[in-house]
Amino acid sequence: AARSVSITLSKILKLPSSIPAPSEKVFVYQSINTDIKSEDLASLKIKFKVPRTFLSTNGLQEGQVKLMRYNDKSAIWDVLATQVLPARSESEALYEATSPGASYFAIAVPQVETTTAEEEIEEEIPAAAYKAPQRTVLWVIIGIVVIIIIGFLLMKKKRKE
């Protein structure tokens, strides 16, 4: 019999003090929590979007965006294999990454080397470039829920065989 599964995706404004920030420049932090035991969860496929204004404002290419996952066991940020997907929108780039489980995540890009003070760079970037669109969060949640449910059901089916 199938059971209900709880998955929570939260945008994080500030990491807990016990978790160090990654060395990369972070677009947004996310937290994914689930009641599925880690041994029952093969992987999570995560789709996310980044506004093209963020990329252009920071002089970045689509391929420079990476999803990072905080590894509780090693206490480091692991860079997940991140693919650029065909865009459905001219205003956002679409990505997909596979994670071994739930945790804290950072959508990140390399730090840009420049002679300008970092404070000045941050002031030049419009605040809107940092704002994740509401629809993006909804689609990420829907995608994660569907993928986790399918994976959970497949694992249940394999165990019965």
Side-chain angles (χ1 to χ4, degrees):
R3 70 175 181 102
S4 63
V5 175
S6 172
I7 300 169
T8 306
L9 172 71
S10 305
K11 181 178 179 181
I12 305 293
L13 298 177
K14 186 177 179 187
L15 289 171
S17 59
S18 62
I19 297 178
S23 59
E24 289 77 359
K25 181 175 184 163
V26 175
F27 167 64
V28 67
Y29 290 108
Q30 301 280 343
S31 172
I32 298 176
N33 295 302
T34 182
D35 61 353
I36 300 172
K37 295 177 186 171
S38 58
E39 59 268 12
D40 291 337
L41 183 63
S43 64
L44 294 173
K45 192 169 280 192
I46 303 168
K47 289 186 178 182
F48 61 96
K49 297 177 184 177
V50 174
R52 292 188 193 281
T53 54
F54 174 80
L55 299 175
S56 62
T57 302
N58 289 284
L60 300 165
Q61 301 296 315
E62 286 180 353
Q64 292 179 281
V65 174
K66 299 292 178 202
L67 185 64
M68 300 181 76
R69 177 184 179 270
Y70 184 71
N71 184 327
D72 291 331
K73 293 177 183 165
S74 63
I76 61 169
W77 287 90
D78 294 326
V79 177
L80 303 176
T82 306
Q83 293 81 37
V84 180
L85 299 177
R88 296 184 203 150
S89 163
E90 289 187 24
S91 62
E92 297 172 315
L94 181 62
Y95 300 89
E96 180 179 87
T98 301
S99 172
S103 185
Y104 288 96
F105 294 87
I107 299 173
V109 296
Q111 290 285 2
V112 178
E113 296 292 324
T114 181
T115 56
T116 310
E118 192 170 317
E119 295 78 41
E120 292 177 30
I121 292 172
E122 289 179 9
E123 290 174 12
E124 292 174 15
I125 300 171
Y130 286 108
K131 204 171 192 181
Q134 294 298 335
R135 276 199 246 159
T136 301
V137 173
L138 178 62
W139 283 113
V140 168
I141 292 171
I142 290 170
I144 291 171
V145 169
V146 169
I147 291 166
I148 288 177
I149 290 172
I150 290 170
F152 182 74
L153 293 174
L154 289 173
M155 288 183 70
K156 276 276 220 207
K157 185 177 178 182
K158 282 183 181 179
R159 284 190 179 156
K160 287 181 182 179
E161 296 172 357

